[in-house]
Amino acid sequence: MVEEHSEVGKAARSQTAHRLKMNPTAFKTLSLALHNLSCRELELCSPRRLLTTVLAEPRNQIFHMPHNELDAICHLDNLIGEVQINIRVDSVVNDRLREFRDQASNRLGRTVSVIEAIYACAHVMNEGL
């Protein structure tokens, strides 16, 4: 991960970039989630916007995902592949992503990676908020 600062107005916001390689099926799921969010918002949305929307959702749906569903989604071996993507998020969103990863890791009894957490966000968007 790379920490960067970009100028937004007069205040600088810290950002983190995630460089991932996912398989075509996981990429298709992410693309569908971006399509669904873009249709809902009536504007073109980025992966950054997707993560911000899902992780800031008031009902915290991603944090209350049933254990069996979480276990079915979070499998690193099923997600990694050759499609390279870069997602830059604000540090506040990255902190929330880390919070989800920690919670999911505790529930599953194993480490949950960034790609698994991002895939879970796409899954939540595709299932409907």
Side-chain angles (χ1 to χ4, degrees):
M1 288 187 283
V2 176
E3 187 82 4
E4 292 187 3
H5 297 281
S6 67
E7 197 72 16
V8 178
K10 292 189 177 190
R13 292 190 307 183
S14 179
Q15 295 183 340
T16 301
H18 295 285
R19 291 170 180 81
L20 310 167
K21 286 189 175 183
M22 56 179 36
N23 69 30
T25 303
F27 183 72
K28 182 178 177 181
T29 300
L30 178 62
S31 298
L32 180 60
L34 292 172
H35 167 77
N36 290 337
L37 180 60
S38 295
C39 288
R40 189 179 94 181
E41 300 291 323
L42 298 177
E43 63 183 15
L44 187 59
C45 296
S46 66
R48 176 181 181 173
R49 177 101 174 254
L50 171 72
L51 295 177
T52 301
T53 300
V54 171
L55 294 167
E57 193 262 333
R59 294 176 301 176
N60 293 317
Q61 183 176 354
I62 193 163
F63 288 91
H64 300 294
M65 190 179 299
H67 183 273
N68 61 340
E69 193 174 345
L70 183 64
D71 189 39
I73 292 168
C74 293
H75 282 286
L76 183 61
D77 293 339
N78 296 338
L79 301 175
I80 57 173
E82 62 278 356
V83 180
Q84 186 169 347
I85 63 168
N86 297 320
I87 300 175
R88 183 168 294 168
V89 294
D90 294 335
S91 61
V92 173
V93 174
N94 195 54
D95 291 345
R96 193 78 170 134
L97 188 65
R98 187 177 301 113
E99 184 181 334
F100 169 72
R101 290 177 57 212
D102 291 345
Q103 187 237 32
S105 294
N106 288 336
R107 289 179 62 197
L108 296 173
R110 59 181 164 78
T111 302
V112 172
S113 68
V114 171
I115 194 170
E116 290 169 301
I118 290 171
Y119 187 73
C121 289
H123 176 77
V124 167
M125 181 55 65
N126 289 337
E127 293 300 312
L129 289 173

